[in-house]
Amino acid sequence: MNPAPDKTEISGWLREENPERLKELWQRADETRRQHVSDAVHLRGLVEISNFCARQCAYCGLRAGNTNLTRYRMSAEEIFTAAQQAVNFAYGTVVLQAGEDYGIPAGWLAEIIQRIKGETPLAVTLSLGERPDGDLAAWRVAGADRYLLRFETSDRSLFDAIHPPLGNKQCDRIAILRQLREFGYEVGSGIMVGIPGQTYASVAEDIALFGELDLDMIGIGPFIPHPATPLGADRGKFPAAGQEQVPNTELMVYKAVALTRLVRPDANIPATTALATINKKNGRELGLQRGANVFMPNLTPLKYRRLYEIYPAKACITETGETCNGCLTARLHAIGRHAGRGAGSRLDRRIAALSAGKELCHA
Ligand code: SAM
Ligand code: SF4
């Protein structure tokens, strides 16, 4: 087995343009994916439970400063109905995602999590921003299994420039990821590729950091400019990095996904909606053939779907859950893959490997 690439090799691959050489990278990532997480594609039903957000991220259309956006928050019953739909489609996981919305009280959401865990076989993943430790702990006690919080970029000064603090509390997403692990969550993070000011060297650092943090889930998507945000309206306002600037292209995302698979062979890696947005025809299939093993069909009720506008022209904003599900099954079949059964957690895979006497991968 090839050893995982180090930072120098990662940088080299990120700059590689030769299609023949890149074919080698795709094959290596695909083979590693097959060996470590099989041909199953785990489906996580995504429910965007609120588009309120207290934050002012310079990249995101949900930022509090975007006053043109109509805001919504789903009711407990709506969230439960969407989770039920995930069960009907045999998805193993429901992902509850939102802006950092303090109108969602911790206790209210804890009751919903408890109900989903009590009445369905679903794993529950949360993606609700930098909530206080007490909220994160309460949701874990209520039964939530996993938490997603992208660090977006490991370049501290770039992160500070695009992700202002809330009040005077400094943001430290890496520290929160460690805290989540202590609470017993499976932990996911990730980055956007092609943020203005983001360099090749910093993306190589990001990918190496995925390995160091031993992440269970890793989401990578292109940065897509939103005109109602500082980064979308005026990209020149942020430090351009000349030759060092990483482009926000589809190809660069595939490279980052493939390298991430080599660095974290048994992680769950989605073919992201952002990737499907910049290549609606076959972006998700190519992602799945270049290292990814997860897809997140959207189960948000249609009346809210277009309001969760992180970036414009998002994929799948007019399809119902049924349509998405049918389309997905056909797409997986066409590339010789199949929907995974059960929760598809990395932890379960590791326990099964240990009990079968196999060595765990520590790439
Ligand atoms: N509020 C939570 C948070 O920030 O973690 C969860 C929801 S947030 C919308 C989910 C992810 O969307 C972010 O982590 C970020 O990577 C991604 N995102 C936001 N704006 C984006 C943009 N313009 N292009 C691509 N991805 C974007
Ligand atoms: Fe809010 Fe998350 Fe968007 Fe930042 S990325 S504005 S925290 S929804």
Side-chain angles (χ1 to χ4, degrees):
M1 200 177 15
N2 285 315
D6 61 19
K7 261 181 246 174
T8 313
E9 287 172 85
I10 294 172
S11 288
W13 278 118
L14 290 173
R15 289 179 186 275
E16 183 61 62
E17 293 292 333
N18 179 334
E20 286 308 312
R21 287 274 293 135
L22 285 172
K23 225 189 254 174
E24 269 174 51
L25 178 62
W26 312 146
Q27 279 167 0
R28 224 174 117 189
D30 201 38
E31 189 46 41
T32 306
R33 187 269 310 151
R34 185 173 302 114
Q35 271 176 22
H36 290 269
V37 296
S38 85
D39 279 338
V41 176
H42 293 288
L43 303 177
R44 323 292 202 203
L46 175 65
V47 189
E48 295 152 335
I49 65 175
S50 160
N51 71 351
F52 283 90
C53 189
R55 295 223 167 239
Q56 296 287 10
C57 304
Y59 41 90
C60 176
L62 304 193
R63 67 200 303 273
N66 183 5
T67 50
N68 290 328
L69 184 65
T70 304
R71 304 282 170 165
Y72 72 89
R73 188 175 294 125
M74 287 172 64
S75 69
E77 211 44 49
E78 285 175 321
I79 297 172
F80 189 74
T81 304
Q84 199 61 56
Q85 219 182 5
V87 179
N88 297 343
F89 294 145
Y91 302 162
T93 301
V94 67
V95 181
L96 306 182
Q97 192 184 81
E100 201 166 303
D101 177 10
Y102 291 95
I104 296 179
W108 178 82
L109 189 68
E111 279 179 25
I112 296 171
I113 295 166
Q114 254 168 350
R115 184 170 174 208
I116 296 175
K117 293 299 290 181
E119 298 181 29
T120 79
L122 294 169
V124 173
T125 301
L126 304 176
S127 171
L128 303 169
E130 299 167 41
R131 299 281 299 229
D133 285 356
D135 296 2
L136 301 174
W139 295 332
R140 175 72 189 131
V141 170
D145 302 275
R146 309 178 189 139
Y147 204 96
L148 302 175
L149 186 73
R150 290 186 181 181
F151 58 75
E152 316 293 2
T153 167
S154 59
D155 177 335
R156 186 72 227 189
S157 59
L158 177 59
F159 182 73
D160 289 343
I162 63 175
H163 186 89
L166 195 57
N168 48 16
K169 191 168 175 272
Q170 178 82 349
C171 303
D172 189 346
R173 288 192 163 201
I174 307 287
I176 300 174
L177 292 172
R178 294 190 207 281
Q179 183 62 64
L180 287 162
R181 176 86 74 201
E182 286 208 357
F183 286 151
Y185 282 98
E186 277 199 279
V187 178
S189 192
I191 57 166
M192 288 178 290
V193 171
I195 306 167
Q198 188 183 39
T199 62
Y200 283 92
S202 85
V203 174
E205 288 286 343
D206 298 341
I207 294 173
L209 186 58
F210 294 153
E212 283 161 38
L213 292 172
D214 193 25
L215 294 170
D216 301 302
M217 294 113 34
I218 303 162
I220 299 168
F223 161 70
I224 303 176
H226 187 306
T229 64
L231 268 193
D234 184 6
R235 301 181 75 184
K237 205 163 130 193
F238 286 81
Q243 293 291 312
E244 296 304 312
Q245 172 67 51
V246 166
N248 60 341
T249 56
E250 196 186 337
L251 183 64
M252 193 55 66
V253 174
Y254 298 135
K255 291 183 200 175
V257 167
L259 290 162
T260 297
R261 173 59 67 199
L262 300 183
V263 166
R264 279 266 43 93
D266 66 350
N268 282 316
I269 302 179
T272 56
T273 309
L275 181 56
T277 296
I278 58 170
N279 177 353
K280 291 197 171 73
K281 186 165 165 264
N282 64 349
R284 70 196 95 189
E285 285 88 339
L286 288 173
L288 290 170
Q289 291 170 314
R290 294 171 179 183
N293 71 319
V294 166
F295 191 71
M296 294 164 71
N298 199 324
L299 296 179
T300 309
L302 265 193
K303 65 177 171 179
Y304 301 130
R305 205 77 76 81
R306 69 178 178 81
L307 299 175
Y308 200 81
E309 200 194 49
I310 306 174
Y311 43 76
K314 210 164 130 211
C316 303
I317 56 167
T318 54
E319 288 89 350
T320 62
E322 283 84 2
T323 319
C324 258
N325 188 48
C327 159
L328 206 76
T329 312
R331 282 173 185 262
L332 293 186
H333 189 71
I335 57 168
R337 304 274 283 278
H338 60 272
R341 292 278 158 237
S345 88
R346 175 175 177 239
L347 187 62
D348 290 348
R349 276 199 301 271
R350 287 168 87 80
I351 291 169
L354 276 179
S355 50
K358 291 190 194 151
E359 270 192 43
L360 291 185
C361 79
H362 296 290

